[in-house]
């Protein structure tokens, strides 16, 4: 691994913390906390690659900490190695059943700890790679529909929990079927890839992302963004695609590739699900196309009510 892995050691015994830190600090970046409560607070603001967790601690024991870590979207994927003075098979089985990846008995051998940590980090690295590949669109190399569905739902829940606004943009390449008919599908694929990567490159905040929705449609998700901010971002996207100046002589609205965008904002919406918010953005996109394309339109007021009636 090029970058040092970040390992959180959770143990109320000072001697154990010192020994584990000395054992692992040559190869990894080590963080130390003394309780389960501290560990849960720590992972909320710092990303770690692995946790070494003592079982018997004052306050929350290791089993309770593990359960909470696995229930949180921020920490459920972090591999956890239990470390305990209790060598009973029942305790080890309980830890593994709850989701721990390994179980080390005290007193421990430093070389064994190193090997077990290295093995878990290698497994995590491979799993992270597989997860990334499963979430990337093969043609455009930006996040795919699966990634969109999972992350849109998570951001929607976070928005509701924090009472913050979020916006969704539905983006469509104008007259793309005519582009394929005119220039061929190979050129169409290259066009899709260029447009997708240009859209994704406009995301400057780590929380914002653009994903391929299907065909020539894309979705931008903007957490903690109000309607005014979404309009500014949509204009940025539209200008970036215009600046590409990709020839499109078969277009009915321009001599180059353009996009139309529909915007839905939770602050002006009555949608009760993230899917309804996406449908509102689709209504805005419909109006953008209707108005002549290469345009940006907000979801019309009352869209949600109409959608409810339609379903």
């Amino acid at each position: 691994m090029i970058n040092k892995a970040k390992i959180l050691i959770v143990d109320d015994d000072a001697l154990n913390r010192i020994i584990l830190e000395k054992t692992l600090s040559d190869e990894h970046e080590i963080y130390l906390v003394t309780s389960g409560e501290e560990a849960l607070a720590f992972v909320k603001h710092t990303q770690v690659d692995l946790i070494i967790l003592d079982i018997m601690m004052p306050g929350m024991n290791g089993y309770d900490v593990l359960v909470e870590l696995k229930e949180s979207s921020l920490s459920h994927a972090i591999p956890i190695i239990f470390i305990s003075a209790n060598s009973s098979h029942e305790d080890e089985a309980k830890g593994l059943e709850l989701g721990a990846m390994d179980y080390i008995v005290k007193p421990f051998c430093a070389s064994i700890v190193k090997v077990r940590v290295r093995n878990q980090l290698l497994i995590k690295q491979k799993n992270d790679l597989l997860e990334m590949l499963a979430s990337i669109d093969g043609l455009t190399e930006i996040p795919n529909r699966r990634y969109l569905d999972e992350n849109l739902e998570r951001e929607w829940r976070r928005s509701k929990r924090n009472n913050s606004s979020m916006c969704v943009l539905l983006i469509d390449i104008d007259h793309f079927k005519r582009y394929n008919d005119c220039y061929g599908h190979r050129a169409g694929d290259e066009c899709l890839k260029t447009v997708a990567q240009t859209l994704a490159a406009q995301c400057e905040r780590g929380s914002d992302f653009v994903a391929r929705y299907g065909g020539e449609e894309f979705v931008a998700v903007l957490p903690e963004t109000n309607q005014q901010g979404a309009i500014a971002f949509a204009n940025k996207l539209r200008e970036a695609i215009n600046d590409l100046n990709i020839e499109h002589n078969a277009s009915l609205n321009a001599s180059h590739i353009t996009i139309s965008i529909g915007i839905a904002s939770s602050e002006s919406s009555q949608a009760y699900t993230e899917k309804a918010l996406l449908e509102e953005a689709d209504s805005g996109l419909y109006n953008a196309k209707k108005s002549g394309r290469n345009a940006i339109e907000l979801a019309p007021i009352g869209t949600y009510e109409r959608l409810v009636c339609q379903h």
Side-chain angles (χ1 to χ4, degrees), residues 108-124:
F108 48 81
C109 171
S111 60
I112 295 297
V113 171
K114 279 188 172 183
V115 171
R116 292 192 175 189
V117 165
R118 190 179 302 125
N119 286 345
Q120 291 305 324
L121 289 172
L122 285 172
I123 292 171
K124 182 179 185 298

mmCIF file of all heavy atoms in Angstrom, residues 108-124:
data_model
loop_
_atom_site.group_PDB
_atom_site.id
_atom_site.type_symbol
_atom_site.label_atom_id
_atom_site.label_comp_id
_atom_site.label_asym_id
_atom_site.label_seq_id
_atom_site.Cartn_x
_atom_site.Cartn_y
_atom_site.Cartn_z
ATOM 1 N N PHE A 108 -0.479 -10.962 23.546
ATOM 2 C CA PHE A 108 -0.363 -11.241 22.121
ATOM 3 C C PHE A 108 1.089 -11.180 21.675
ATOM 4 O O PHE A 108 1.947 -10.574 22.316
ATOM 5 C CB PHE A 108 -1.190 -10.245 21.308
ATOM 6 C CG PHE A 108 -0.971 -8.816 21.708
ATOM 7 C CD1 PHE A 108 0.121 -8.104 21.250
ATOM 8 C CD2 PHE A 108 -1.875 -8.182 22.554
ATOM 9 C CE1 PHE A 108 0.314 -6.793 21.628
ATOM 10 C CE2 PHE A 108 -1.684 -6.862 22.933
ATOM 11 C CZ PHE A 108 -0.585 -6.163 22.479
ATOM 12 N N CYS A 109 1.330 -11.820 20.551
ATOM 13 C CA CYS A 109 2.657 -11.817 19.930
ATOM 14 C C CYS A 109 2.685 -10.718 18.872
ATOM 15 O O CYS A 109 1.819 -10.675 17.988
ATOM 16 C CB CYS A 109 2.926 -13.178 19.306
ATOM 17 S SG CYS A 109 4.407 -13.246 18.273
ATOM 18 N N ALA A 110 3.663 -9.826 18.945
ATOM 19 C CA ALA A 110 3.735 -8.672 18.049
ATOM 20 C C ALA A 110 3.765 -9.083 16.585
ATOM 21 O O ALA A 110 3.085 -8.481 15.743
ATOM 22 C CB ALA A 110 4.954 -7.823 18.385
ATOM 23 N N SER A 111 4.529 -10.120 16.262
ATOM 24 C CA SER A 111 4.640 -10.526 14.858
ATOM 25 C C SER A 111 3.321 -11.068 14.332
ATOM 26 O O SER A 111 2.963 -10.852 13.165
ATOM 27 C CB SER A 111 5.744 -11.582 14.702
ATOM 28 O OG SER A 111 5.463 -12.731 15.475
ATOM 29 N N ILE A 112 2.547 -11.759 15.193
ATOM 30 C CA ILE A 112 1.234 -12.274 14.787
ATOM 31 C C ILE A 112 0.262 -11.126 14.565
ATOM 32 O O ILE A 112 -0.512 -11.119 13.604
ATOM 33 C CB ILE A 112 0.680 -13.250 15.843
ATOM 34 C CG1 ILE A 112 1.560 -14.493 15.933
ATOM 35 C CG2 ILE A 112 -0.752 -13.634 15.510
ATOM 36 C CD1 ILE A 112 1.616 -15.317 14.673
ATOM 37 N N VAL A 113 0.306 -10.137 15.447
ATOM 38 C CA VAL A 113 -0.562 -8.963 15.280
ATOM 39 C C VAL A 113 -0.273 -8.285 13.950
ATOM 40 O O VAL A 113 -1.183 -7.917 13.203
ATOM 41 C CB VAL A 113 -0.363 -7.967 16.442
ATOM 42 C CG1 VAL A 113 -1.089 -6.656 16.152
ATOM 43 C CG2 VAL A 113 -0.875 -8.569 17.748
ATOM 44 N N LYS A 114 0.996 -8.119 13.625
ATOM 45 C CA LYS A 114 1.377 -7.477 12.364
ATOM 46 C C LYS A 114 0.818 -8.223 11.165
ATOM 47 O O LYS A 114 0.273 -7.624 10.230
ATOM 48 C CB LYS A 114 2.906 -7.408 12.248
ATOM 49 C CG LYS A 114 3.553 -6.281 13.001
ATOM 50 C CD LYS A 114 5.039 -6.212 12.644
ATOM 51 C CE LYS A 114 5.679 -4.973 13.232
ATOM 52 N NZ LYS A 114 7.096 -4.842 12.843
ATOM 53 N N VAL A 115 0.946 -9.529 11.170
ATOM 54 C CA VAL A 115 0.491 -10.337 10.045
ATOM 55 C C VAL A 115 -1.027 -10.281 9.911
ATOM 56 O O VAL A 115 -1.565 -10.121 8.809
ATOM 57 C CB VAL A 115 0.954 -11.798 10.200
ATOM 58 C CG1 VAL A 115 0.291 -12.693 9.153
ATOM 59 C CG2 VAL A 115 2.467 -11.884 10.066
ATOM 60 N N ARG A 116 -1.729 -10.372 11.034
ATOM 61 C CA ARG A 116 -3.192 -10.359 10.981
ATOM 62 C C ARG A 116 -3.717 -8.994 10.525
ATOM 63 O O ARG A 116 -4.681 -8.917 9.759
ATOM 64 C CB ARG A 116 -3.775 -10.738 12.337
ATOM 65 C CG ARG A 116 -3.503 -12.195 12.701
ATOM 66 C CD ARG A 116 -4.319 -12.646 13.883
ATOM 67 N NE ARG A 116 -4.139 -14.063 14.131
ATOM 68 C CZ ARG A 116 -4.855 -14.763 14.999
ATOM 69 N NH1 ARG A 116 -5.818 -14.175 15.691
ATOM 70 N NH2 ARG A 116 -4.633 -16.051 15.174
ATOM 71 N N VAL A 117 -3.089 -7.941 10.982
ATOM 72 C CA VAL A 117 -3.472 -6.604 10.536
ATOM 73 C C VAL A 117 -3.216 -6.455 9.041
ATOM 74 O O VAL A 117 -4.050 -5.954 8.294
ATOM 75 C CB VAL A 117 -2.704 -5.529 11.334
ATOM 76 C CG1 VAL A 117 -2.796 -4.162 10.650
ATOM 77 C CG2 VAL A 117 -3.237 -5.437 12.757
ATOM 78 N N ARG A 118 -2.052 -6.896 8.589
ATOM 79 C CA ARG A 118 -1.708 -6.797 7.167
ATOM 80 C C ARG A 118 -2.707 -7.580 6.322
ATOM 81 O O ARG A 118 -3.152 -7.109 5.262
ATOM 82 C CB ARG A 118 -0.290 -7.315 6.942
ATOM 83 C CG ARG A 118 0.269 -7.049 5.543
ATOM 84 C CD ARG A 118 1.688 -7.575 5.384
ATOM 85 N NE ARG A 118 2.577 -6.980 6.363
ATOM 86 C CZ ARG A 118 3.337 -7.683 7.205
ATOM 87 N NH1 ARG A 118 3.284 -9.003 7.203
ATOM 88 N NH2 ARG A 118 4.135 -7.067 8.051
ATOM 89 N N ASN A 119 -3.078 -8.765 6.775
ATOM 90 C CA ASN A 119 -4.032 -9.583 6.017
ATOM 91 C C ASN A 119 -5.391 -8.893 5.901
ATOM 92 O O ASN A 119 -6.011 -8.878 4.829
ATOM 93 C CB ASN A 119 -4.205 -10.946 6.684
ATOM 94 C CG ASN A 119 -3.005 -11.855 6.479
ATOM 95 O OD1 ASN A 119 -2.157 -11.591 5.615
ATOM 96 N ND2 ASN A 119 -2.905 -12.902 7.280
ATOM 97 N N GLN A 120 -5.874 -8.316 6.991
ATOM 98 C CA GLN A 120 -7.172 -7.643 6.956
ATOM 99 C C GLN A 120 -7.146 -6.404 6.076
ATOM 100 O O GLN A 120 -8.114 -6.096 5.375
ATOM 101 C CB GLN A 120 -7.613 -7.276 8.374
ATOM 102 C CG GLN A 120 -7.968 -8.467 9.245
ATOM 103 C CD GLN A 120 -9.023 -9.370 8.626
ATOM 104 O OE1 GLN A 120 -9.952 -8.900 7.964
ATOM 105 N NE2 GLN A 120 -8.870 -10.669 8.821
ATOM 106 N N LEU A 121 -6.023 -5.689 6.077
ATOM 107 C CA LEU A 121 -5.913 -4.504 5.221
ATOM 108 C C LEU A 121 -5.872 -4.885 3.744
ATOM 109 O O LEU A 121 -6.438 -4.180 2.899
ATOM 110 C CB LEU A 121 -4.667 -3.697 5.598
ATOM 111 C CG LEU A 121 -4.746 -2.966 6.945
ATOM 112 C CD1 LEU A 121 -3.393 -2.378 7.304
ATOM 113 C CD2 LEU A 121 -5.807 -1.871 6.912
ATOM 114 N N LEU A 122 -5.227 -6.003 3.429
ATOM 115 C CA LEU A 122 -5.205 -6.477 2.046
ATOM 116 C C LEU A 122 -6.603 -6.880 1.588
ATOM 117 O O LEU A 122 -7.013 -6.581 0.460
ATOM 118 C CB LEU A 122 -4.238 -7.656 1.902
ATOM 119 C CG LEU A 122 -2.743 -7.313 1.920
ATOM 120 C CD1 LEU A 122 -1.905 -8.585 1.972
ATOM 121 C CD2 LEU A 122 -2.366 -6.476 0.700
ATOM 122 N N ILE A 123 -7.337 -7.553 2.465
ATOM 123 C CA ILE A 123 -8.717 -7.940 2.132
ATOM 124 C C ILE A 123 -9.569 -6.694 1.906
ATOM 125 O O ILE A 123 -10.346 -6.618 0.954
ATOM 126 C CB ILE A 123 -9.313 -8.810 3.258
ATOM 127 C CG1 ILE A 123 -8.606 -10.168 3.302
ATOM 128 C CG2 ILE A 123 -10.822 -8.995 3.053
ATOM 129 C CD1 ILE A 123 -8.973 -11.008 4.513
ATOM 130 N N LYS A 124 -9.413 -5.701 2.784
ATOM 131 C CA LYS A 124 -10.178 -4.463 2.642
ATOM 132 C C LYS A 124 -9.818 -3.754 1.342
ATOM 133 O O LYS A 124 -10.698 -3.229 0.645
ATOM 134 C CB LYS A 124 -9.918 -3.528 3.818
ATOM 135 C CG LYS A 124 -10.725 -2.227 3.749
ATOM 136 C CD LYS A 124 -10.463 -1.333 4.929
ATOM 137 C CE LYS A 124 -11.376 -0.109 4.888
ATOM 138 N NZ LYS A 124 -11.173 0.743 3.704
#
